[in-house]
Amino acid sequence: MLIFILKVFLFISLVTVKATANETIEIGAIIDINSRIGKEQKTAIAIAVENYNHDRRNNKQLITVHFRNTSKDTIQDFFSAEELVEQNHVKMIVTGLQTWEETALIADTGKRHQVPIISSGTASYTPELVQLKWPFLVQMTSSSLDQINCTASIVSSYQWRKVIVIYEDDMYSGSSMLAVLTETLRSHGAEIEHQLILPQLSSLSDPREVVRREVVKLLRKQSRVFIVLRSSVSTASHFFKEAKEIGLMGRDSAWILADSLADLLDSVDTTFVSSIQGALGIKNHYAEETKSFQDFKGQFQQIFRSEYPMEDHSEPGIHALKAYDSITAFAKAVNNLGTKSSNDSKLLKNKILSSNFIGLSGHVSFVNGALSHPPTFRIVNVDGNRYKGLGFWSSKFGFSEILEAENGERIGVNGSRTMKFSEVKWPGELKRVPKGWVIPTDSKPLIIGVPGRTSFEKFVKVETLAESNEKKYSGFCIELFKEVLKILEQNYTLPYEFEPFNGSYPDLVQQVINGTYDAIVGDITILAERTKYVEFTQPFAESGLTMVVPVKFDGSKKAWMFLKPFTGNMWIATGGVLVYTMLVVWFMEHQSNPEFRGLWKDQFGTAMWFTFSSLFFAHRENIKSNYTKTVVIVWLFLVFVLTSSYTASLTSMLTVPRLEPSVKDIGWIKRTNASVGCDGDSFVKDYLRQVLELHNIKSITNQDDYPKELESGNIKAAFLEIPYQKVFLREHCNQYVIAGPNYRFGGLAFVFQKGSPLARDVSEAILTLTQDGTLNYLEERWFGLSRNCDNVDPADETESLTLGSFWGLYLVSGATSTVCLLFYVYHLFRKLRQMNGAFRDNIVHPSTDQSFWTKTAGIIKNDKPAVSLRRVVSASAAGLASDERGSSPKWHLVSPSDAAQIFDGSSQHPQLAIEMGNLRSE
């Protein structure tokens, strides 16, 4: 009995283990098995399931896949999903549908039945919106924004300004992706000129005719930069074939293929590749050197060749890798949840979304239901039967030629925001970067509008020749345009035809907006409102609005005109240096120069007279000291420079006519409602009314009418743009002046259609002409000064001389006076000490009741420095007995120089010398 019980228990255990081991999880896969992508996806899913089922670590549960083929009818795919959920009880559906319309319907099924849907299709919405609308949808892709940014960066790198976008019709994603691309291109300075929507071939009875009719429309567009945003291989094959036949794949065209086509370049046939020679492609990059990829590649090629022997290529692409990673994410989630929890669809979906592993396609982790890691794209160039890699792009590092491993990721080296890959084979085997727009030809030249009537004919003039009835175009703008053509001809020829337009300037600009003219050559002002609709070149002349009024001559000389040559600071500085020099000269001369002695008022008068007379080099006083002579020499040089400058400035101020405007400002015009004149064909009239709020405006059609209207008083002022104002004042110099402020605008420039690449080339040519002096030469030739003009702008007054021009001279003069004064004082004190020592050693002794500083002050105050001579007497001089000499002292005040003469026995003081001799003998 015991043995029987053990056998029964063992049997039940084995049955239970076997049932557990054989428990399966059903999953579904809806793919296009007839397409190359579907074949790769089916093979990859089968390999992933087989690898999982044969892994001993996964022996508790097995995965079974139910494949469903897509149908031409989207609704049928929806029913296939419903069948998989309701009848096959699948726990997850993998969809390889390429259109978002089909993916959205499958996602609705997953939402209703709460079954996770893993999709490899790219949503045009943001991941947040997708997650809110379809919470059970898991996107095995990242946002399409990365690819759009990559495309826009390529366009910006080659400075293309207009593009044509081509995509296959998809009601759910096409329009939204196009809106994002439009904004991104605009931020890079480009715009979409035209969008071509290709219908799905499954809905067409004659696809070739329909595609050809759509392709022909592109011939009428200017841009030759084509972006194939999204398309199937079958639709793209028809399109490229027709485009090549009509010449759109030729020289100066550029093609950019998004990943929907570029990812299939490894598997498409040679006919398809030959039709897109020179195109740039954006492929999803994945690491091919890893061991896991090499193992998968071997399995894939073996199975793919056996099941699809008709396929030329058997290498797996990004779609196969993503399909394999989808099964891997599901399998990891099932293993983590266990047998019981795997039936909970919400837990299963959350576990899939929490995946974090390195798959064959890259890092697999999710945020808001989409891959969190931004993709790395490989930029390729179609060349020959295959393609060659140019470099890489990622939102993290931009463009880079090589990648290096960093923290488990591939990071670009020396990333750049612009594409700098030089080895590009362009369509038509063009060696340079394509222009990206239709270059005019002799059969289809550039149609250029020219202003037929202008107020100032020096800018543009259109004449009709009587003998041939042909139009003759001349003027500054016409000649400048011809110089621009000479520069453009170094790269390409530009056939053109001028057509005169006799309407207003705003109407002429409108002709470019509506496509009647390709460009305008003339004096067109750059305005903010116009830049929204047309493309302006680099301005070749400044622009602004000024008020020109007649002048009234003021011949009277103002009473204080003589002060005008110098500024106030200049006069103060000159007076300060003059007074300082006067004091220094007086101090150094009044000690030894009799002409500077006497009473205080006499000394001050003499010093003042000497200094002021030196301004006119009329001083007659003799100078004794060498220090004083040095000071006076520097002072006279300063005086020479100042008087010469003063005379020249005052002469200029007195001889230039004093021109005063008859109208001071625009405020007087408004208060009196005075009449003003302007060019009625330009924007100026509207500007005066709307901005400056002037209402009494008279239109003037010719520049010769302005003087007549102003002299007759019909208008009090004329409002002219700066280029016209310069011409007018040069022809009517000393008669009119500018009054009031200058209202600035963008300048004068040529006009092209919005986004025209020609505008950039012409702008570069204008800058070249500006730098090499050609533009200045043309301005002097056409707007040179009239022979009757003495001054270009007689209203300008001679400016007063400022201290900044002479401070160096003032510094030298002041420094020289100060240094000489210090040397003189030092020399004076030195002599004083020598004299005091000599008298103390002999017979001359300082008075005991006078200090050193008291005697120094006496030297400065008196005509001659005083020293005290004690008991210097002489019998013959005093008339006293010899025994009384010692008791009858007598004091004499002498200067240091006199004292020196006493010691030397000078004849200037004979009596004192005799007394000194007697003292020596005693």
Side-chain angles (χ1 to χ4, degrees), residues 203-273:
S203 61
L204 302 177
S205 59
D206 188 1
R208 179 177 180 182
E209 181 61 28
V210 174
V211 171
R212 183 176 182 83
R213 187 167 56 248
E214 294 296 326
V215 172
V216 170
K217 296 178 182 178
L218 301 180
L219 290 175
R220 296 192 292 269
K221 305 303 177 182
Q222 186 183 38
S223 176
R224 287 297 179 267
V225 178
F226 304 96
I227 300 175
V228 184
L229 192 60
R230 176 172 292 179
S231 175
S232 62
V233 176
S234 57
T235 303
S237 298
H238 283 82
F239 173 78
F240 288 130
K241 182 179 180 181
E242 299 298 332
K244 185 176 181 180
E245 287 183 2
I246 66 175
L248 291 179
M249 305 295 296
R251 296 168 64 89
D252 274 315
S253 65
W255 291 82
I256 302 175
L257 309 180
D259 59 355
S260 61
L261 291 177
D263 285 336
L264 299 176
L265 290 177
D266 292 308
S267 58
V268 293
D269 54 34
T270 56
T271 304
F272 183 89
V273 174

Side-chain angles (χ1 to χ4, degrees), residues 413-640:
V413 179
N414 299 326
S416 173
R417 290 299 175 187
T418 58
M419 187 171 172
K420 300 179 180 179
F421 311 141
S422 57
E423 298 180 359
V424 179
K425 179 182 178 182
W426 299 104
E429 298 186 358
L430 189 66
K431 301 300 182 182
R432 56 172 174 82
V433 176
K435 292 292 181 183
W437 49 274
V438 181
I439 297 179
T441 60
D442 293 333
S443 59
K444 190 179 179 182
L446 198 71
I447 305 301
I448 300 177
V450 177
R453 60 176 191 232
T454 59
S455 298
F456 290 81
E457 295 181 343
K458 284 192 174 183
F459 287 90
V460 177
K461 184 178 181 181
V462 181
E463 300 175 287
T464 303
L465 301 179
E467 59 274 9
S468 60
N469 201 29
E470 293 181 354
K471 301 293 184 181
K472 178 183 177 182
Y473 302 90
S474 61
F476 169 76
C477 295
I478 302 298
E479 192 162 345
L480 175 62
F481 181 71
K482 292 180 179 179
E483 293 294 331
V484 168
L485 291 180
K486 293 179 182 178
I487 297 178
L488 297 182
E489 287 174 355
Q490 299 175 6
N491 296 321
Y492 56 87
T493 58
L494 188 65
Y496 68 93
E497 288 183 0
F498 283 144
E499 286 191 8
F501 182 80
N502 294 321
S504 65
Y505 278 58
D507 292 340
L508 177 57
V509 175
Q510 186 63 38
Q511 299 302 308
V512 176
I513 298 175
N514 60 31
T516 303
Y517 296 142
D518 298 313
I520 299 175
V521 170
D523 46 340
I524 308 297
T525 303
I526 301 175
L527 300 177
E529 185 64 24
R530 292 175 177 175
T531 57
K532 299 177 182 179
Y533 309 103
V534 296
E535 200 80 32
F536 285 96
T537 65
Q538 178 76 16
F540 53 79
E542 65 174 327
S543 178
L545 193 62
T546 58
M547 184 172 68
V548 177
V549 299
V551 300
K552 56 180 182 181
F553 291 89
D554 184 12
S556 60
K557 308 303 179 187
K558 296 182 179 179
W560 301 101
M561 179 64 70
F562 67 92
L563 295 176
K564 202 77 186 292
F566 289 166
T567 61
N569 293 335
M570 186 76 172
W571 283 114
I572 294 173
T574 303
V577 174
L578 186 146
V579 172
Y580 182 67
T581 304
M582 176 190 73
L583 293 176
V584 171
V585 170
W586 167 79
F587 183 82
M588 292 190 296
E589 284 299 309
H590 92 285
Q591 301 294 331
S592 58
N593 194 336
E595 297 185 17
F596 287 85
R597 296 177 189 169
L599 299 177
W600 274 109
K601 61 180 181 178
D602 295 334
Q603 295 183 41
F604 179 75
T606 301
M608 289 287 293
W609 167 255
F610 173 81
T611 307
F612 276 96
S613 62
S614 65
L615 293 173
F616 310 98
F617 304 98
H619 53 284
R620 295 184 179 180
E621 291 76 11
N622 294 322
I623 297 175
K624 301 297 185 180
S625 173
N626 289 331
Y627 295 117
T628 307
K629 293 177 181 179
T630 303
V631 171
V632 172
I633 288 174
V634 177
W635 165 251
L636 291 179
F637 178 74
L638 173 62
V639 168
F640 172 75

Side-chain angles (χ1 to χ4, degrees), residues 53-103:
N53 292 336
H54 284 80
D55 192 339
R56 294 182 179 179
R57 294 169 296 180
N58 305 324
N59 57 1
K60 291 183 179 181
Q61 293 173 311
L62 300 177
I63 297 177
T64 301
V65 186
H66 299 275
F67 288 100
R68 293 293 185 271
N69 192 11
T70 59
S71 173
K72 296 181 180 180
D73 188 1
T74 306
I75 301 300
Q76 185 61 43
D77 296 330
F78 170 76
F79 288 130
S80 298
E82 291 285 335
E83 178 189 352
L84 287 172
V85 174
E86 295 177 355
Q87 297 183 12
N88 298 102
H89 306 290
V90 297
K91 303 300 182 183
M92 184 265 293
I93 296 177
V94 177
T95 171
L97 302 174
Q98 297 302 301
T99 65
W100 184 248
E101 176 188 3
E102 297 169 325
T103 304

Side-chain angles (χ1 to χ4, degrees), residues 158-173:
Y158 294 114
Q159 299 181 354
W160 294 319
R161 293 294 175 260
K162 280 187 177 183
V163 300
I164 294 176
V165 178
I166 303 161
Y167 62 93
E168 192 170 349
D169 185 22
D170 182 354
M171 67 178 69
Y172 280 80
S173 61

